[in-house]
Amino acid sequence: MNTSTITLSSDPEWYRKAVFYEVMVRSFLDTNGDGYGDFRGMIDKLDYLQWLGIDAIWLPPFFQSPLRDGGYDVADYREVLPTYGSTADFDEFLQGAHDRGMRVVIDFVINHTSDQHVWFQEALKAGRGSKERARFHFYDANSDGTPPNNWISLFGGPSWTQVDDGQFYLHLFDSSQPDLNWDNPDVAEDFEKTLRFWLDLGADGFRIDVAHGLVKEDVLKDHPDPQGLSDALRLDMPMDPERRYALLPTVPYFDRQGVHEIYRKWRTIFDSYGSREVMAVAEAWVHPPVNATRYVRADELHQVFNFDLLDAAFEAEQLYGLMSAAIDLMKSVGALPTWALSNHDSPRVASRIGDLQSRALALFVLALPGSCYVFAGQELGLPDGVIPDEARQDPIYFRTKGVQKGRDGARVPLPWKGETAPFGFTSGKPWLPLQEGWKDLTVEKQESDPRSTLNLYRNALNLRAEHLVNNGEVEWIESPVHGGKSASLLAFKRGNVSVYMNLSDLPIEIEVNGKLLVVSSGIVDGRDGKVTIPPVSTIWLHH
Ligand code: GLC
Ligand code: CA
């Protein structure tokens, strides 16, 4: 029995309001000088995470892997990658997190394995028609020698690769990531064992990678517009929204009804851990947005990511539209939304919209109902790293022949201390280069500066726990500006806290009484029932 869980709050719906901290082990802290972060480093910094005030940690895959896609290519689902440490190290980390009241959610990458996984190696050897090949999508070439269909990989290039005997296998991502055949009972059975394996070790839940994938339909049919499909799926690709909305529901490999049966089965496994309060969050990019609610039906998963803010402009009307829609959508099924400004797949928010803007937006979002996902480094206001092409690792860069630079910029390790790169991350050569210019962004510098981004996050997380998590629903404030409306101000009230974000470059004066809890940047001027919000800044007021 796992005794450490007794220090965790026993709230069965803890995840609904939790702040999750997403941290890639390899970018956090390296303790043995090999340039890769490791579980010893994670253990060393548990006090830092507790000090910061997060509720839970989400670990992207840390399993045995050739790291062709940063670990999203798993070779053994029940082994820790030795570069990161041992299962005993993971266990020590987990206990340490629990002892500090933090939960740990791990990544579950089940749309595909690595080509180094024993199943795929067996499939290669066993040959066509074998039960080993039936665990993946192996098919013969068309009579003209072309692949079984015209689908394009999400990482660029064809989604089929040919093996020695002439058959092709399907891979929606890199060729080193063969897609599993979820119609094969071996697959479902083995992953149920893996779920139990980590739950028995004490994990608190799972982030389900490509949760809308898994089930494929019409694998032997061409899609009428494969390039359109592939462009529509890339949110960074400009496309007429009408066209995008028309194409997305036609994807034959995403958001098929069959996935929900899989999650219903898993839910019975999660629930069998009873008092442990296990949760699972779906990475499901689906259209129309209402489809996301299916993943959080009472007998399926607990949460679904909302990616809307990852590419939203810093613009009041758009933000209001996205936020209110997300809240209403989840409310329609009794769930709460999730919020993320950055993650390991997208440009960092500070680079995308600017430093002050990202502080203002973060403070605003942290006051909304639901749970927040903070990507490690976001609390430092880290921008994207500038990566020389020869240091790039992301398969997207290679598969698109450099046309897309990929996601490495967001994945650069954290700067901890000192005046020169790699800022205490490693005593060796970091797996991606830290930037010399980050000397004022280190944890050490920011800890001692009350106005730093780090202290803003810490204050906000404390105040959120004290004033907001059990506070009411959002009431949007329509015309908060004294003497008229402003397109530059977004505001809402939750119970006895009101939140105002000034998106403009000028101070805005509002008529309101209340005690200032926190401001994202600048000095707030308040007297005689009037408060002046600094430019590009958010405030929380207590009434
Ligand atoms: C998810 C992960 C991404 C990975 C892909 C393939 O989208 O977030 O990092 O490359 O799945 O596993
Ligand atoms: Ca290391």
Side-chain angles (χ1 to χ4, degrees), residues 50-285:
Q50 187 183 23
W51 172 86
L52 183 58
I54 54 139
D55 303 298
I57 299 160
W58 153 30
L59 298 175
F62 53 84
F63 317 106
Q64 189 67 258
S65 165
L67 300 182
R68 290 282 300 277
D69 183 22
Y72 282 95
D73 48 326
V74 182
D76 186 332
Y77 290 84
R78 298 174 211 153
E79 283 290 336
V80 174
L81 183 69
T83 313
Y84 300 153
S86 61
T87 306
D89 293 329
F90 169 77
D91 199 41
E92 189 180 331
F93 162 74
L94 184 67
Q95 305 298 320
H98 285 173
D99 289 342
R100 290 166 180 78
M102 300 181 288
R103 290 176 161 91
V104 177
V105 166
I106 69 182
D107 226 298
F108 202 44
V109 189
I110 62 318
N111 177 70
H112 44 265
T113 66
S114 156
D115 60 359
Q116 301 304 305
H117 191 283
V118 58
W119 275 2
F120 192 74
Q121 291 298 316
E122 284 171 4
L124 289 181
K125 282 191 212 106
R128 52 158 54 75
S130 61
K131 70 175 189 346
E132 286 81 1
R133 284 208 178 171
R135 293 173 180 143
F136 298 90
H137 296 278
F138 274 93
Y139 292 98
D140 287 332
N142 292 326
S143 51
D144 61 358
T146 54
N149 73 22
N150 63 358
W151 298 352
I152 294 176
S153 156
L154 278 86
F155 285 176
S159 65
W160 296 92
T161 290
Q162 199 161 26
V163 301
D164 288 348
D165 61 19
Q167 279 208 309
F168 282 90
Y169 65 90
L170 175 71
H171 54 87
L172 293 180
F173 297 91
D174 188 49
S175 57
S176 67
Q177 295 166 295
D179 278 58
L180 285 159
N181 175 9
W182 272 87
D183 288 333
N184 183 299
D186 285 1
V187 172
E189 196 184 307
D190 194 66
F191 281 112
E192 286 170 22
K193 278 195 199 135
T194 300
L195 284 175
R196 290 183 196 280
F197 175 86
W198 292 105
L199 289 172
D200 291 342
L201 263 180
D204 299 291
F206 301 91
R207 177 257 188 198
I208 314 299
D209 188 60
V210 200
H212 56 316
L214 282 56
V215 173
K216 278 102 202 172
E217 285 173 6
D218 300 329
V219 180
L220 294 179
K221 266 202 209 147
D222 282 348
H223 188 276
D225 184 3
Q227 188 56 52
L229 248 201
S230 139
D231 292 350
L233 287 162
R234 276 191 49 205
L235 297 182
D236 58 334
M237 187 72 104
M239 189 187 267
D240 168 44
E242 301 264 304
R243 178 150 183 255
R244 176 165 269 148
Y245 293 148
L247 277 165
L248 285 175
T250 72
V251 190
Y253 41 80
F254 281 162
D255 203 24
R256 303 291 98 190
Q257 285 305 317
V259 297
H260 298 289
E261 277 161 45
I262 300 170
Y263 301 136
R264 282 192 196 106
K265 181 71 204 297
W266 290 1
R267 183 61 182 250
T268 64
I269 298 178
F270 300 150
D271 287 351
S272 74
Y273 284 77
S275 60
R276 284 272 307 284
E277 304 150 0
V278 173
M279 69 84 70
V281 53
E283 184 210 21
W285 306 78

Side-chain angles (χ1 to χ4, degrees), residues 384-388 390-393 408-409 411-413 421-423 425 429-436 438:
D384 284 324
V386 178
I387 316 285
E390 59 279 10
R392 291 195 185 278
Q393 314 255 343
D408 294 319
R411 300 177 177 185
V412 175
F423 301 111
F425 164 71
K429 182 175 181 288
W431 73 277
L432 281 177
L434 289 88
Q435 315 292 290
E436 285 305 338
W438 290 358

Side-chain angles (χ1 to χ4, degrees), residues 47 56 96 117 242 284 302 323 327 331 340 362 366 432 467 480 484 496 502 509:
D47 288 337
H117 191 283
E242 301 264 304
H302 302 75
M323 290 170 176
I327 293 169
K331 199 171 160 190
L366 283 167
L432 281 177
H467 296 286
N496 53 5
N502 174 2
E509 185 178 82

